[in-house]
Amino acid sequence: MLSDIEIAQKNVMEPIGKIAEQLDILPEELEQYGHYKAKISLELLKRLEKKPNGKLVLVTAITPTPAGEGKSTTSIGLVQALNKIGKKAVVALREPSLGPVFGIKGGAAGGGYAQVVPMDDINLHFTGDMHAITAANNLLSAMIDNHIHQGNALRIDSRQVTWRRVMDMNDRALRNVVVGLGGKVCGFPRQDGFMITVASEIMAILCLAKDLQDLKERFGRIVIGCDLDGNPVYVHQLGCEGAMALLMKDAIKPNLVQTLEHTPAIIHGGPFANIAHGCNSLLATKMALKLGDITVTEAGFGADLGAEKFMDIKCHYGGFYPNAVVVVATIRALKMHGGVKKTDLNQENVQAVSDGFSNLAKQVENMRSFGLPVLVAINKFASDTPAEVDMLLKKCESYGVEVTLNECWEKGGEGGIDMAHKLVELLEKDHSKKVELYDVKDTIPHKLEAICTKIYGGDGVDFTPNAKKQIKQLEDWGLDKLPVCVAKTQYSLSDNPALLGAPKNFRITVQDVRVSNGAGFIVCQTSNIMVMPGLPKKPAALNMDIDANGKITGLF
C-alpha cells in the first residue's frame, strides 16, 4: 500500500490556471504561487456579488480518536464524487498547522486517493499564511512591550497583559516564560507565554473578516489587557493595526489548489476547534458558494466542537447556513466509545460498535437540533469487518438516520458515489431550518449552560473564582454580548477526555474567560486544555526526510 505522499507524488497535477477556468475565475483574479497553487483576489467577490449562492454542506464527525476520523478525506472524496455525477462542486478547507504535521495527528490534506495537492506544500509552508499570522501577532507583542519600555503613556498594567506570543509549532517549553530579562535596555520583566499560531486571535480574525478594511478594524478592536485603572486597552490605542494589516495583505486572500482528480479546492485559514472556532475563512466559503453549485466544507473535531462553533460563530457573522450535514463515523472510533482500548481497535468487536453508537447518536441529535438534515458517512478502514459494518448500518437504520459507506480513501471519488447521490437527495428536499442555540445578548453563564446541556449532554457549568472575576470584568467593560467559543478536549463530549460515549451526569469547569473582541467571540477555557500543545514521545518528524533531489519521504 502506497503512503499518502507516494500517492500524491505519482499524481500529475493540472496547471492552476486550468483549475481556475473550471470555476470561471478570470486571469486577473488569480495570483499564482508557482504552477499549482494561487491566491484568489477579493475582487472576485465584488464581481459575483449578485450571483445566487450554491448549496452549502457541512462535514463534521463523531468524537474522534487521537488520529482523527477522516473529515478532510471525506470532504475531498465527496466533492470528487459530486463532480463525477455531474455536479459543479467545490471544497473549502482549513490550512494545516505545522504542530500536528510534526506531532502525531498528521496534516489536513486528506488521505489515500482523496487528497488535495500539492500535499507537501499545503502541509508545510503553503503560501505563507501561517507565517504572516505569526508575524502580525508577534508585531503586536513587540509593540506592547516597547510601549511599556518607552514610558507607558497608556498606563498598561504589565501584570495583566493578556496578549501572548505565538509560533506554529508544538513546543511545551514555551507555555510559560518570562520576557524582558537582561537589564534596563531589554525592557521590563514580566510573565508571558506562547500559544500555537492557530490559537491566535489573528487567525480567528482572518477567518471571520469580510475584507482587508474589516480585518484592520477588527485588529484595532483587539483587547490586549487593561490599564492601571482596570479599563480595557485596545490595539487602536497603540496605533499598530495598520502595520498588522499590512503584514496580512496577501494572507487574507484565499488559496486555490486541486484534488487528485483535479477538482477545485479553496484552502484558507486554520483555527483549531478545541482551542478556537475550527472553521476555514468566511471569505473562502463565500467564494466557493459563488463559484460552485455545491460547496463542501468542514468544521474541526467532533460536532460538539467545530460544528457547534460553525453554527453559532461562523454562520452568525457569515450570513449563510448549511443545507445539510455529513457526520463522519468510523468503526474504530465507535469501538473506542464502546470501551475498547486504543491498542485493540483493529480487533473485531461487534458489541463495542453497538455500545459506542451512543456517541454517534448524540452528534446526529446535535446537528438535527440546529434544524439540519443529516447523512452519516462511514469512513471505511481495512480493519473493519463485515459484521461490524452491518451492525453500524442496522443501528443507523433503527435510529432513523440516512447512512452511506464511504470508501474514498481507497477509491477516490468513485468510492463516494453513493454518498454523493444520497447527499444530493437531501439537498433537493432542502428541509434545513436555521436554529439559534442561544441569544448572544444573554449572559456568559447562560450561553455556556445552553452549550453544555443541549450539545454536550451535561448538567451544567461550574466556574473557578478566577473565571467568575473575568466574567464580571467583561460585563463591566460591556464586552460580554458576543458568541461563546468553548476551549475543551476533543476526546469527549464532556471536558474530561476519559468520559467516552455519550456521558451523563457531568458538569464542565471553566477556569479562564477572555474576550477575542476583534474576532467577535468570548473564549471560555476548561481546565484541561492547552493552547500550546506538546510533541508526543515519538513525533512524526522522526519519520520525515528529504533527499539530494528534493524528494520528501515520511510526510504521512
Side-chain angles (χ1 to χ4, degrees):
M1 180 64 69
L2 297 176
S3 67
D4 288 350
I5 192 166
E6 288 172 334
I7 292 170
Q9 288 169 341
K10 287 179 177 294
N11 182 255
V12 179
M13 292 179 280
E14 295 278 11
I16 198 62
K18 191 170 182 179
I19 301 300
E21 288 175 5
Q22 293 183 39
L23 299 177
D24 301 317
I25 297 173
L26 302 178
E28 58 268 27
E29 294 168 340
L30 201 67
E31 300 172 12
Q32 293 195 194
Y33 281 58
H35 300 296
Y36 306 113
K37 52 189 178 180
K39 289 281 187 183
I40 307 173
S41 170
L42 301 190
E43 293 298 314
L44 178 141
L45 284 174
K46 295 179 182 178
R47 176 171 66 87
L48 300 178
E49 185 178 5
K50 295 182 180 180
K51 182 181 178 183
N53 287 343
K55 299 285 188 178
L56 180 59
V57 177
L58 176 65
V59 176
T60 184
I62 62 174
T63 303
T65 63
E69 304 320 304
K71 287 190 307 300
S72 297
T73 301
T74 300
S75 299
I76 296 162
L78 174 56
V79 80
Q80 291 182 155
L82 286 167
N83 278 274
K84 276 185 176 294
I85 65 171
K87 302 298 179 181
K88 187 178 182 181
V90 184
V91 66
L93 301 171
R94 293 174 296 160
E95 297 179 53
S97 164
L98 291 178
V101 168
F102 292 109
I104 187 172
K105 189 176 181 293
Y113 290 90
Q115 296 186 57
V116 282
V117 286
M119 72 86 83
D120 50 353
D121 284 358
I122 294 168
N123 278 312
L124 296 174
H125 301 287
F126 201 15
T127 56
D129 293 346
M130 291 291 181
H131 303 306
I133 293 165
T134 302
N137 184 104
N138 293 341
L139 169 62
L140 177 52
S141 292
M143 292 291 287
I144 293 167
D145 284 306
N146 183 64
H147 182 89
I148 295 170
H149 176 71
Q150 301 293 353
N152 199 6
L154 294 174
R155 301 176 67 246
I156 297 171
D157 187 343
S158 61
R159 300 162 300 179
Q160 298 193 67
V161 173
T162 54
W163 189 259
R164 289 186 172 193
R165 289 166 162 82
V166 300
M167 68 176 294
D168 191 34
M169 192 63 64
N170 293 356
D171 192 347
R172 62 173 57 84
L174 294 179
R175 287 172 183 162
N176 296 286
V177 300
V178 176
V179 297
L181 297 179
K184 184 177 180 180
V185 296
C186 297
F188 289 88
R190 67 176 181 87
Q191 187 171 337
D192 198 0
F194 278 75
M195 302 190 299
I196 194 164
T197 295
V198 289
S200 170
E201 187 176 350
I202 305 298
M203 171 63 84
I205 290 172
L206 171 70
C207 289
L208 293 171
K210 62 183 181 181
D211 53 36
L212 186 58
Q213 183 63 30
D214 184 44
L215 183 89
K216 184 169 70 172
E217 290 173 358
R218 285 173 176 271
F219 284 169
R221 296 199 295 268
I222 293 171
V223 174
I224 61 95
C226 58
D227 63 20
L228 293 169
D229 296 321
N231 300 311
V233 178
Y234 299 91
V235 167
H236 68 76
Q237 294 174 270
L238 288 167
C240 59
E241 66 269 30
M244 294 166 64
L246 185 154
L247 286 168
M248 299 288 292
K249 67 180 181 64
D250 295 315
I252 194 173
K253 302 169 187 175
N255 307 292
L256 179 67
V257 289
Q258 62 191 286
T259 73
L260 292 174
E261 297 178 11
H262 315 309
T263 300
I266 302 176
I267 301 181
H268 194 221
F272 283 175
N274 63 339
I275 298 174
H277 68 290
C279 310
N280 67 272
S281 74
L282 284 180
L283 288 169
T285 303
K286 286 182 175 181
M287 282 186 177
L289 285 169
K290 296 295 184 185
L291 294 169
D293 296 327
I294 300 174
T295 292
V296 178
T297 190
E298 68 170 24
F301 294 122
D304 55 305
L305 282 168
E308 180 270 318
K309 295 170 185 178
F310 186 95
M311 309 301 177
D312 292 329
I313 298 175
K314 183 170 181 176
C315 291
H316 176 78
Y317 289 112
F320 48 68
Y321 204 69
N323 300 98
V325 173
V326 175
V327 177
V328 179
T330 61
I331 296 294
R332 63 178 188 177
L334 290 172
K335 287 192 287 190
M336 181 187 75
H337 288 292
V340 175
K341 294 180 181 179
K342 294 182 180 67
T343 54
D344 298 330
L345 293 179
N346 288 334
Q347 298 176 20
E348 183 178 80
N349 192 323
V350 177
Q351 185 59 48
V353 173
S354 178
D355 294 342
F357 183 79
S358 61
N359 185 272
L360 174 57
K362 176 56 179 166
Q363 300 290 25
V364 170
E365 175 192 321
N366 287 340
M367 293 299 91
R368 285 174 169 172
S369 72
F370 281 104
L372 296 167
V374 177
L375 172 65
V376 171
I378 304 171
N379 189 18
K380 193 174 184 303
F381 282 70
S383 58
D384 300 344
T385 68
E388 290 173 332
V389 173
D390 186 56
M391 170 57 74
L392 180 50
L393 292 172
K394 288 179 179 177
K395 295 290 287 188
C396 287
E397 183 180 354
S398 64
Y399 192 70
V401 62
E402 193 71 50
V403 62
T404 182
L405 196 62
N406 160 24
E407 298 181 273
C408 296
W409 183 87
E410 180 184 0
K411 301 176 182 178
E414 193 63 37
I417 296 295
D418 181 66
M419 177 168 54
H421 281 301
K422 287 181 176 177
L423 176 64
V424 169
E425 289 177 13
L426 284 182
L427 292 175
E428 288 174 347
K429 294 175 183 176
D430 197 6
H431 290 159
S432 63
K433 181 181 178 182
K434 185 176 182 179
V435 175
E436 292 186 350
L437 185 64
Y438 53 74
D439 184 346
V440 295
K441 295 180 181 178
D442 211 337
T443 65
I444 294 173
H446 278 133
K447 287 180 278 197
L448 278 165
E449 287 280 340
I451 296 171
C452 179
T453 57
K454 296 178 183 179
I455 301 299
Y456 305 158
D459 295 334
V461 184
D462 296 320
F463 299 89
T464 63
N466 179 60
K468 291 178 181 178
K469 181 180 178 182
Q470 292 169 324
I471 290 172
K472 176 64 166 57
Q473 185 180 59
L474 293 182
E475 291 172 345
D476 292 343
W477 290 350
L479 300 178
D480 61 320
K481 308 305 182 186
L482 296 169
V484 165
C485 178
V486 180
K488 79 169 184 72
T489 179
Q490 65 268 35
Y491 299 128
S492 172
L493 283 160
S494 72
D495 62 349
N496 178 358
L499 297 181
L500 302 178
K504 303 290 184 183
N505 305 314
F506 68 87
R507 299 178 68 85
I508 67 169
T509 300
V510 173
Q511 70 167 10
D512 184 76
V513 179
R514 62 184 184 274
V515 65
S516 291
N517 194 52
F521 56 72
I522 295 160
V523 179
C524 297
Q525 188 172 327
T526 62
S527 56
N528 62 343
I529 194 70
M530 290 289 184
V531 292
M532 170 55 84
L535 291 171
K537 188 173 183 179
K538 293 183 178 180
L542 295 175
N543 302 319
M544 299 176 190
D545 201 358
I546 186 167
D547 66 16
N549 297 316
K551 184 178 180 180
I552 295 172
T553 55
L555 190 64
F556 327 120

